[in-house]
Structure formats: structure tokens, C-alpha cells
Amino acid sequence: MNTPGPTPSQTVGPFHGHALPFPGGGDIAPPGHPDTITVHGRVLDGAGDPVPDALVEVWGPGPDGALPHTGGSMRRDPVTGGFLGRNGIDFTGFGRVPTDADGHWAVHTLRPGARGENAPYLSVCLFARGLTRHLFTRVYLPEPAGALAADPLLASLTPPRAATLVAHAEPRGTYRFDIRVQGEGETVFLEFA
């Protein structure tokens, strides 16, 4: 009798773009806030091609370094279950955006403050096709440079690897941060036990 072997593991999806994004998911800072910055980039695969169906989640502290404890990222109408949106006043520190056809993503948030010995950073979680588990990384802003030099995580990496975690400043409070899933210039990803 011939017994079939085990079924190989498979990734599930990608279904990220169908149920998880929500309207205004990239608008983390209240609209019109004078300290709003934009962080954007592309998600690229090992060949340098865009990943058009990834999902990027971003969390960050407020400018004072305190973690927000405000809910409301996905408020729903208690009667219809429809999406009500953010209340437009409170900073929640959380955003979730899908990538577009070119692998581009963007969030509008407040400049994060430093926490402990760490330089200011935003936490990022990436969900994408081909990944059986989501990936965690950080986005450090390039200033203040002294804080970057003293950051324990950045100091533990070689300069080329640390550079994959630092966004590039662009005009008008905008920062570019590309996420390379593998290959040359692969972004440093973190593992949590």
C-alpha cells in the first residue's frame, strides 16, 4: 500500500488588502497638526521588485516619548458596524496601510520622542506574500545624529546593516524608508522571543 507523504507548508493569502486596511489607516497624527511628519517608502523583494500586496503596520510614541493609550484607530458604529474613522483629535500612535501597485506605502505621524537609551524610532510590522510569519523592524529618523550613535541596537550592528534602519530625510518633514525583504541591502529584522 502506498501512503501519501505530508502536505508541504503553504503561505496563506495574501489576503491582507481585503480585510485589514481601514480608511485613514495612514493618518496617525491628527489632521492639521503642525508637527506632522510623513514617513514613506517601498516594500521590495529579493530581486528589487516592488511587493504590491504587502501590509505595513506602524506604531510609535508621541513627541514626548510616551506611548499613547488612546483607542480609536478603528472605531465602528455600534448599530451598523460601519467604520466611523478616527476621532481626528487624539494621537493613537498606530497606523496600518497596504502597499500600492508599485510597493509604495506612506503614513503621517508625529515625530517620535526618545524612550530610555534608545534613539527615537517607529516600530514596523510587515505582512507580505511569501512570508509565513510577519517581520518586525524599526525606522529611525536621521536626527539627532548623536542619539543614533548611542542607540544600543544600532551600535550592535555593522554600519551597513545599521544604515538599513535609518530613514533618509527629504524636504518638508518627509522621510523615506524602503523595506527590502531579502537580498542586497536587506532591512534588519528583529526577532522577539
Side-chain angles (χ1 to χ4, degrees):
M1 183 152 152
N2 205 0
T3 306
T7 303
S9 65
Q10 300 284 324
T11 58
V12 177
F15 303 119
H16 310 118
H18 299 289
L20 294 176
F22 54 94
D27 298 324
I28 302 169
H33 194 287
D35 297 326
T36 297
I37 62 170
T38 300
V39 180
H40 74 102
R42 294 174 72 202
V43 177
L44 305 167
D45 66 15
D49 295 326
V51 179
D53 50 9
L55 188 73
V56 179
E57 287 187 350
V58 177
W59 305 275
D64 61 356
L67 294 175
H69 296 287
T70 303
S73 293
M74 298 181 3
R75 295 181 316 136
R76 300 217 176 257
D77 183 298
V79 176
T80 66
F83 179 74
L84 290 175
R86 299 176 191 260
N87 68 11
I89 298 168
D90 297 318
F91 175 68
T92 64
F94 173 78
R96 179 187 292 151
V97 292
T99 57
D100 66 14
D102 294 321
H104 189 261
W105 62 276
V107 296
H108 310 286
T109 189
L110 298 180
R111 180 179 301 280
R115 302 195 54 196
E117 298 177 359
N118 297 308
Y121 68 87
L122 298 169
S123 296
V124 174
C125 183
L126 175 68
F127 301 84
R129 62 183 150 116
L131 299 178
T132 54
R133 293 175 50 116
H134 47 282
L135 301 173
F136 294 99
T137 190
R138 290 180 178 178
V139 179
Y140 288 91
L141 301 182
E143 65 275 324
L148 293 177
D151 184 86
L153 175 62
L154 293 176
S156 72
L157 301 169
T158 64
R161 297 295 289 146
T164 69
L165 297 177
V166 181
H168 300 280
E170 297 180 336
R172 297 181 305 277
T174 302
Y175 298 89
R176 182 173 186 107
F177 184 77
D178 291 335
I179 303 169
R180 295 184 183 275
V181 178
Q182 62 183 14
E184 186 176 339
E186 176 183 332
T187 301
V188 170
F189 295 105
L190 309 174
E191 187 172 313
F192 297 100

